[in-house]
Amino acid sequence: TRLVATVSTMPGAMAAAATALGAVPLLVVRRISANVQGMLLGFGAGVMLAASVFSLLLPAFEAAQAQAASELGAATLVALGVLLGAGGLLAMDRALPHTHAPEGRQSAAAVWLFVFAIALHNLPEGMAIGVSFSQGDMSVGLPLTSAIALQDIPEGLAVALALCAAGFKPPFAVLVAIGSGLLEPLGALLGIGLASGMPMAYPIGLGLAAGAMLFVVSHEVIPETHRNGHQTFATLGLMAG
């Protein structure tokens, strides 16, 4: 168990490092156009959608079929996990204060709530990594970690840009963006605990992680790419992802 925990938290740390990678360019380039930001976020959303299907839902269904007596039983297990994941994120979304779009220099408090929202949604991404590695299956864990890391790059950029727009210095904005990714290793540990307790927990855990990621993409990332009137660029980025 200790070895699995170490193996799972390392990819979680890699995903957190990808958030930092997205923010660091602001130390050199102070302005990035809104259409490029929308395309990058759209690309991240597309990658997350693909990862949810190919690295979470399909492996979850295969694992559930190995334990359930029928395809209907397997589908029910996975669907239960998806609903639990989405429902948990919805409950967090309603209970914890945050905002979906920073409002610039006039509203620093809204910017901090936006940063909090990004950091909060890194937790289920880390959980997905932990669940995917909990059975030692690299064919599930590695593609998922790569997809989440790719998606974290534009997220880190979005956090740093929002803080700079609110008047904070770029080095501080980059440090906060790096900090926002630190929930991913913690989420990876939670994911291990969730999925390694009993065999039935693995497919349900994969479904739960998929539900949480689909909720984040639909509720946070895609709406964010459409707020500034660059829907075409965002959609092209999503399709590329």
Side-chain angles (χ1 to χ4, degrees):
T1 303
R2 186 175 300 172
L3 177 61
V4 172
T6 302
V7 170
S8 299
T9 50
M10 287 177 61
M14 291 172 58
T19 305
L21 180 63
V24 165
L26 275 193
L27 294 174
V28 180
V29 180
R30 300 301 171 85
R31 181 174 176 81
I32 298 175
S33 64
N35 57 354
V36 171
Q37 293 178 49
M39 183 175 286
L40 288 173
L41 284 172
F43 178 81
V47 169
M48 292 282 278
L49 288 174
S52 296
V53 175
F54 295 109
S55 297
L56 289 174
L57 289 177
L58 292 182
F61 189 70
E62 291 175 2
Q65 279 186 301
Q67 301 175 32
S70 66
E71 290 188 351
L72 178 61
T76 301
L77 279 179
V78 177
L80 175 63
V82 170
L83 291 175
L84 287 173
L89 263 290
L90 179 60
M92 291 171 64
D93 186 77
R94 295 291 178 86
L96 298 174
H98 68 285
T99 187
H100 299 285
E103 298 174 14
R105 193 178 293 271
Q106 290 76 23
S107 161
V111 172
W112 282 111
L113 288 174
F114 170 74
V115 172
F116 177 72
I118 294 293
L120 182 67
H121 292 133
N122 280 332
L123 187 64
E125 293 174 9
M127 288 177 62
I129 291 173
V131 171
S132 68
F133 277 100
S134 64
Q135 303 298 308
D137 189 349
M138 295 295 175
S139 66
V140 175
L142 288 178
L144 178 68
T145 302
S146 301
I148 289 176
L150 281 173
Q151 188 266 344
D152 281 339
I153 293 174
E155 266 194 6
L157 176 64
V159 168
L161 283 171
L163 288 166
C164 286
F168 294 99
K169 299 294 185 183
F172 178 77
V174 170
L175 283 176
V176 172
I178 292 171
S180 72
L182 295 181
L183 281 179
E184 299 214 16
L186 175 61
L189 285 173
L190 292 175
I192 296 165
L194 176 73
S196 59
M198 56 181 180
M200 195 71 72
Y202 180 59
I204 295 176
L206 288 174
L208 189 152
M213 287 172 61
L214 290 172
F215 181 89
V216 169
V217 170
S218 178
H219 192 66
E220 301 288 341
V221 183
I222 292 178
E224 182 62 30
T225 65
H226 284 59
R227 282 195 175 98
N228 296 318
H230 300 286
Q231 294 92 330
T232 301
F233 287 97
T235 302
L236 290 173
L238 185 143
M239 298 306 297

